[in-house]
Amino acid sequence: MHDPPRTPIGPEREDFDGEGFDGEGFEGGRPAPLGHGSALGLKAHPTKVLCLSEPGRPAQDLRDRFGADVELEEVSSPVRALARLAHGGYAGVYADAQHFAEAFDAGRLVQNERILQGMPDGVVVLDADSRILWGNGRLREWVGKDDLTGQNFYKVLGGPDILGPDYCPFHTALAKQQRSASTLRCQDGRHFRVHAAPVYDAKANASRARVGGQVAVASPEHLVVTIRDVTDEMLQQQKLAAIHQAGVELADLSTDEVANMDLEERIDLLKSNILHCTQDVLQFDVVEIRMLEQGSGVLQPLLSVGMKPEAESRELRVDASGNGVTGFVAATGQSYLCEDTSEDPLYIEGAQDARSSLTVPLMMHDQVIGTFNVESPEPRAFSESDLQFLEIFARDVAAAINTLELLAAEKATTAAASVEAIHSAVALPVDDILNDAVNVMERYIGHEPDVAERLARILTNARDIKQVIQKVGQSMAPIEARPPSVCIEPRAALVGKHVLVADADDTVRGAAHTLLERYRCIVETAHDGKEAIYMARNLRGSGGYDAIIADIRLPDMSGYELLLKLHEMNETAPLILMTGFGYDPGHSIVKARQAGLKAVLYKPFRLDQLLETVEQVVSEDLD
């Protein structure tokens, strides 16, 4: 019998004595040597040789040649050869000429074993029943077992849950002859992502037959599966989802929930929700949130847990220097990770023995509205992931604060609108009552004291009605319960001031009530100059008006004539005339100025011009 031709794979290894293989196959052993149609140098004691060839004659020829000391096992494909090698104990591999190419492929896998061993991912070969035929050792390390060969892949992982997208990835890869992937969740919380690809035997594909004009490809019998540990990635995703849900719940506040809450109750609700999310989801125990007071630039504490009392009460401003990390973040709008407080020049002590901190800005419409700070007693306790998570949550906190402000604004605006609606419906009719009463009173003064006294009570009651409406409005939407966006700037000089507005236009008289009474003026109106004089005379006994605003052209007299008649009755209230640009019949303004006119408002005027003018004349009158 002639020996088959000898074509070595790699260098000639005729002197190989079997010590290059440690008996553990691919699960940790060194590459097994390969010969091609050659007799292998073997140890004196009985050895095992794997024979990659057709069943029958080649194996028998080798047995005859090597004698009884050689235990020969036959396989017909490289994949099966790898599976057998995984069991270990082989001194070498023999391949006949017909299987040389296949043996060469197997040899390359063996020679690259060190590369596969160094991969961070696990690699295994599975049969059609998901049994492990070979592995690079990574899976063995993950599950803590020495030998996985022959075991079911899923059982090795403890029966994991299959999360998809393919819920039968191995079956799909074999049945559809295409790659498939899925994510597995083990009982201990670890997650693995698997990718399965079918493996075809070279021999089976070489013997493909044509069926109906189509090439029939043999079904794969094995899978190459890569396994990646994605536990950290999945935990990140789960935490992001939890933060997102916490943010949704944080800002999920309906009008009904806030409708009956005062300012302190709304703040307490917000604090409770923020603390729950910060401690349970983000797992931060030391928390400080400060809100920016836009006018002063002071960062006022909103929430403080775990901070030293002196740190909590410390005044911090929006300034990149001298105000700690919090002031820097508020000034720059940039997050700041302090890895070691003992080495950071910006850090000012907040929590007791804090060694690291993380501070992010609270942003709304690209504007800083506050800061969110967490601290830890451990140095370098916060990672870039923590920074990302806190920034995400800070956006939700800012949105929740904005939601509370909007709801409070809605409440305050609705209350103010209700008060104004009531007032607009009542104010002018009450003024009509006042006008009629003073007109009648003028006729009965000195003639029928009882009638005059009754009319005086009517005037008093009518004025009381207006005062009650204003007080109800203030209680419905108190200034301290309003967010800054709807707070009316206080004007102390206007509070409680009596102002008379004389104009024939109902719109002007109604607007006077709406605009001035927002600032707690007491407004009354008259249709013409005569009513204005009667109203001024009637109130003189109660202190009189602090200011009188009149149109330059009243139905019965000019503004200048009104001023003269007020002087005749010793009325000292400062007069403000309203006129359109260029309209001054008879030079009334010039004459009125000479007679002591205090100010002129040119129509159309802005609200701030009206307020400033009234403030100016009432302040001068006080002086």
Side-chain angles (χ1 to χ4, degrees), residues 61-258:
D61 289 344
L62 285 178
R63 289 189 184 93
D64 294 341
R65 183 172 181 180
F66 293 138
D69 290 336
V70 175
E71 181 181 344
L72 201 63
E73 294 188 17
E74 298 178 75
V75 290
S76 59
S77 72
V79 173
R80 295 184 182 279
L82 288 173
R84 292 292 184 87
L85 285 171
H87 290 281
Y90 295 95
V93 178
Y94 172 88
D96 61 16
Q98 185 176 351
H99 291 78
F100 170 70
E102 300 173 10
F104 186 76
D105 290 338
R108 286 192 300 182
L109 284 175
V110 173
Q111 291 169 353
N112 290 332
E113 184 209 6
R114 291 184 182 274
I115 297 176
L116 295 175
Q117 289 286 352
M119 290 178 60
D121 296 345
V123 182
V124 295
V125 176
L126 306 181
D127 65 12
D129 295 322
S130 300
R131 287 193 300 266
I132 298 172
L133 303 179
W134 171 87
N136 69 339
R138 190 67 60 203
L139 181 62
R140 181 185 62 193
E141 296 174 7
W142 287 334
V143 299
K145 296 181 178 179
D146 293 334
D147 186 13
L148 304 180
T149 304
Q151 297 188 47
N152 181 274
F153 179 83
Y154 291 116
K155 288 184 178 180
V156 165
L157 292 176
D161 297 325
I162 302 177
L163 305 182
D166 192 328
Y167 293 92
C168 298
F170 300 159
H171 174 78
T172 298
L174 288 171
K176 296 185 177 181
Q177 303 182 24
Q178 62 185 30
R179 296 179 181 180
S180 183
S182 193
T183 300
L184 311 180
R185 180 179 59 204
C186 299
Q187 301 302 317
D188 59 4
R190 288 184 300 172
H191 290 73
F192 295 98
R193 187 162 294 136
V194 296
H195 291 264
V199 177
Y200 298 90
D201 288 346
K203 176 185 176 183
N205 283 337
S207 60
R208 291 178 299 178
R210 287 191 171 273
V211 178
Q214 300 292 327
V215 177
V217 180
S219 298
E221 297 181 2
H222 303 90
L223 295 173
V224 171
V225 179
T226 58
I227 313 107
R228 174 167 295 178
D229 188 339
V230 293
T231 303
D232 290 342
E233 178 182 334
M234 294 300 295
L235 289 177
Q236 295 278 81
Q237 293 179 5
Q238 291 172 5
K239 197 168 185 179
L240 283 174
I243 291 172
H244 172 70
Q245 183 60 35
V248 170
E249 294 174 357
L250 190 66
D252 187 17
L253 304 170
S254 67
T255 305
D256 292 339
E257 289 178 294
V258 186

Side-chain angles (χ1 to χ4, degrees), residues 329-524:
V329 169
T332 63
Q334 301 295 320
S335 300
Y336 193 92
L337 176 59
C338 174
E339 295 187 332
D340 192 333
T341 59
S342 64
E343 300 175 355
D344 197 303
L346 283 179
Y347 181 79
I348 301 176
E349 186 177 19
Q352 183 71 39
D353 300 324
R355 292 297 305 279
S356 58
S357 71
L358 180 58
T359 310
V360 301
L362 296 176
M363 307 287 292
M364 180 56 59
H365 305 307
D366 297 326
Q367 297 293 321
V368 176
I369 65 171
T371 58
F372 195 136
N373 175 58
V374 295
E375 302 193 4
S376 171
E378 300 295 330
R380 296 172 178 79
F382 304 108
S383 64
E384 290 296 327
S385 294
D386 293 322
L387 175 62
Q388 178 190 14
F389 292 145
L390 194 60
E391 287 178 337
I392 293 171
F393 186 60
R395 290 198 294 268
D396 294 325
V397 170
I401 293 172
N402 186 58
T403 299
L404 284 176
E405 285 200 355
L406 291 177
L407 291 173
E410 181 181 351
K411 179 181 177 181
T413 303
T414 301
S418 299
V419 173
E420 289 184 4
I422 294 171
H423 212 289
S424 63
V426 173
L428 292 182
V430 170
D431 283 350
D432 289 340
I433 294 173
L434 294 174
N435 297 154
D436 292 341
V438 294
N439 273 285
V440 174
M441 185 177 287
E442 287 290 325
R443 299 177 188 176
Y444 285 93
I445 290 177
H447 299 288
E448 295 188 29
D450 291 342
V451 175
E453 185 179 343
R454 287 180 180 233
L455 289 172
R457 285 200 298 267
I458 291 173
L459 288 167
T460 300
N461 291 336
R463 288 179 170 126
D464 286 344
I465 290 173
K466 296 172 67 175
Q467 294 299 308
V468 169
I469 291 175
Q470 282 190 321
K471 289 179 180 178
V472 170
Q474 293 166 16
S475 65
M476 289 177 66
I479 295 298
E480 62 270 13
R482 300 181 186 180
S485 56
V486 296
C487 281
I488 295 173
E489 180 184 355
R491 291 179 179 263
L494 299 180
V495 176
K497 300 302 180 183
H498 283 77
V499 179
L500 176 65
V501 179
D503 198 295
D505 191 340
D506 290 347
T507 304
V508 173
R509 298 197 310 277
H513 279 291
T514 300
L515 299 177
L516 291 174
E517 285 177 351
R518 289 181 185 174
Y519 297 89
R520 301 173 69 180
C521 287
I522 301 171
V523 180
E524 294 175 357

